[in-house]
Amino acid sequence: MAQDTRKRIVVGVDGSQLSLVALRTARRLADLLDCRIEAVTVWSYPVALAVPIASAEWSPRVEAQSALEETLQATFGQDVPEGLKKLVVSGQPVQVLVEASKGAEMLVVGSRGRGGFAGLLLGSVSSAAAAHAHCPVLIVHPPEAD
């Protein structure tokens, strides 16, 4: 298969409802700008674990991979954008997204992720990504209620 040389739109995906909004928005932009989408999910071992041990019952990497697949399925179903690249990366979300933004046309993130407080307009990951990304950043908010 030939390598896709189109520019990238990177999307931070954490399994939240805003991840779906971010992916849908990125798809519209990718179609307009002739870009491919790179969906990035970040995982790390919980701080509460003294020694990072993955077990047969639970693995944060596997959980992150499942969350990414479920979010992509909920967003696109069988109509997956051509050239979509899925990345599941260990690390801190801001650092991983800022690194992924290098050479990208745009970074798209939700205004709040899974850990966001409902009253906040902007989460810590989205605000830090906007401050440090190597490309323009689009921060999506929840759709207005009808």
Side-chain angles (χ1 to χ4, degrees):
M1 183 171 142
Q3 182 176 349
D4 193 339
T5 58
R6 293 178 295 165
K7 292 184 179 182
R8 301 173 297 127
I9 293 179
V10 176
V11 184
V13 178
D14 66 0
S16 67
Q17 286 300 308
L18 279 176
S19 290
L20 279 74
V21 175
L23 283 163
R24 287 183 190 121
T25 302
R27 181 180 208 158
R28 287 194 308 272
L29 292 169
D31 289 345
L32 289 170
L33 300 172
D34 192 30
C35 293
R36 61 187 169 87
I37 297 173
E38 191 170 278
V40 180
T41 296
V42 183
W43 66 274
S44 62
Y45 284 100
V47 176
L49 291 178
V51 178
I53 300 173
S55 69
E57 295 84 34
W58 179 80
S59 163
R61 184 191 60 73
V62 171
E63 186 174 303
Q65 181 70 46
S66 293
L68 176 59
E69 295 294 340
E70 289 169 11
T71 303
L72 292 171
Q73 176 63 34
T75 304
F76 302 124
Q78 298 301 313
D79 189 25
V80 177
E82 183 182 334
L84 175 79
K85 183 174 182 179
K86 303 178 252 185
L87 295 173
V88 178
V89 181
S90 172
Q92 297 302 314
V94 172
Q95 293 170 339
V96 170
L97 291 173
V98 166
E99 184 64 26
S101 76
K102 289 181 178 175
E105 189 73 8
M106 181 177 290
L107 171 63
V108 182
V109 293
S111 60
R112 294 186 311 271
R114 296 185 82 145
F117 294 98
L120 294 179
L121 293 176
L122 205 58
S124 60
V125 171
S126 55
S127 61
H132 300 288
H134 300 277
C135 64
V137 177
L138 176 61
I139 300 172
V140 298
H141 292 268
E144 295 277 329
D146 290 334

